[in-house]
Amino acid sequence: MSRSERLLQLLQLLRGHRYPISGAELANQLNISLRTLYRDIRSLQAQGAIIEGEAGLGYVLREGFVLPPLMFSAQEIEALVLGARWVAERADAQLAEAATQAMSKISAVVTPELRYRLDESPLLVGPSDNHSFCQPQVLDIRRAIEAECKLVIQYQDQQGQQTERTIWPFAIGFFDNVRLVVGWCELRNDSRNFRVDRIASLKVTDIRYPRRRQTLLNDWYRQKNIPRK
């Protein structure tokens, strides 16, 4: 393991603990000596990491330190490339443009070796002939989710019956061939999934729904027994 990789792993270990973790435990997990650990902590502090604590008491990383992109590993860079390419091919125009801009920013600061990985990654995303997820509705839905505002939709179910629903959208599921809006349905008084390609029309209201988006999402995770990642 290179020193830069070790420093990155040390930061990740510290980020995973809200309370002080002993130097002995950190050194054991990194398979290094305490002397090397203390030197690495001083290096991170010199780079701007707010690491509080001292030998015998433990260490904790305070919020606010941004990891330089140049410390990404080669595989992490390729994972970012693959994700950005998927978004560019499968998401709406705004997200596609954001993915391209993000990769340009990373390319401007990484080392030449990692820049080569960015430009020449062999991990490709195939084209898709399903463009339902590129409909203008997706942008409106994302805007409603961000603002935590109610949506009024004309929705056609699997049997072809159309109903008007007022929903509290709190997530969008990105599948290969379909996009699902997850929201609280006032008609059903429960959480429901709505296929974007079955929404005939929608209106973003300026009415805030009464519960926070994250609360609705957390309740949905628990209801579906889906582990958080």
Side-chain angles (χ1 to χ4, degrees):
M1 181 190 302
S2 68
R3 184 167 182 271
S4 62
E5 290 175 330
R6 191 176 71 242
L7 292 175
L8 172 60
Q9 190 171 348
L10 174 56
L11 276 174
Q12 291 173 330
L13 285 173
L14 289 167
R15 281 197 174 109
H17 292 80
R18 296 180 56 189
Y19 301 102
I21 178 174
S22 70
E25 184 174 351
L26 288 169
N28 181 61
Q29 293 192 42
L30 293 169
N31 196 27
I32 59 176
S33 67
L34 276 173
R35 182 178 179 181
T36 300
L37 174 73
Y38 298 150
R39 186 171 61 246
D40 287 350
I41 287 177
R42 288 194 296 270
S43 294
L44 290 174
Q45 289 172 330
Q47 295 178 41
I50 307 175
I51 301 175
E52 298 179 354
E54 58 185 61
L57 297 178
Y59 297 91
V60 63
L61 176 67
R62 298 303 180 191
E63 295 182 0
F65 181 66
V66 179
L67 182 65
L70 57 86
M71 295 184 70
F72 289 149
S73 69
Q75 289 193 358
E76 288 169 340
I77 285 291
E78 292 204 338
L80 289 172
V81 171
L82 181 61
R85 287 176 176 175
W86 191 93
V87 170
E89 182 64 35
R90 298 288 198 275
D92 59 73
Q94 285 188 359
L95 282 179
E97 177 64 21
T100 301
Q101 291 179 356
M103 297 310 296
S104 295
K105 290 178 180 178
I106 293 175
S107 178
V109 295
V110 296
T111 62
E113 292 80 9
L114 292 181
R115 189 175 302 113
Y116 174 80
R117 290 272 186 166
L118 279 172
D119 297 336
E120 306 296 335
S121 174
L123 306 182
L124 307 177
V125 174
S128 174
D129 57 2
N130 189 327
H131 300 288
S132 64
F133 45 79
C134 297
Q135 295 174 344
Q137 287 96 320
V138 176
L139 294 175
D140 290 334
I141 293 167
R142 290 205 295 112
R143 181 162 58 90
I145 291 174
E146 180 67 24
E148 299 185 357
C149 286
K150 295 183 180 183
L151 276 177
V152 178
I153 64 173
Q154 299 293 328
Y155 189 73
Q156 182 172 297
D157 63 20
Q158 193 172 6
Q159 287 72 39
Q161 297 180 336
Q162 185 165 301
T163 56
E164 181 175 283
R165 310 285 187 99
T166 298
I167 65 174
W168 311 349
F170 56 83
I172 299 180
F174 287 75
F175 297 87
D176 283 341
N177 295 313
V178 70
R179 297 293 177 264
L180 295 180
V181 183
V182 188
W184 181 270
C185 178
E186 293 187 355
L187 179 65
R188 303 303 183 194
N189 197 33
D190 198 1
S191 294
R192 288 289 189 270
N193 301 331
F194 302 91
R195 288 180 52 148
V196 173
D197 57 346
R198 291 181 182 167
I199 297 178
S201 65
L202 65 82
K203 176 185 178 182
V204 181
T205 75
D206 58 0
I207 304 173
R208 296 284 298 270
Y209 43 76
R211 301 178 65 194
R212 296 306 304 271
R213 176 182 67 239
Q214 192 60 48
T215 301
L216 291 167
L217 182 58
N218 290 339
D219 289 346
W220 180 81
Y221 274 117
R222 286 192 291 268
Q223 182 184 21
K224 301 297 183 181
N225 293 318
I226 300 175
R228 297 299 304 266
K229 295 184 179 180

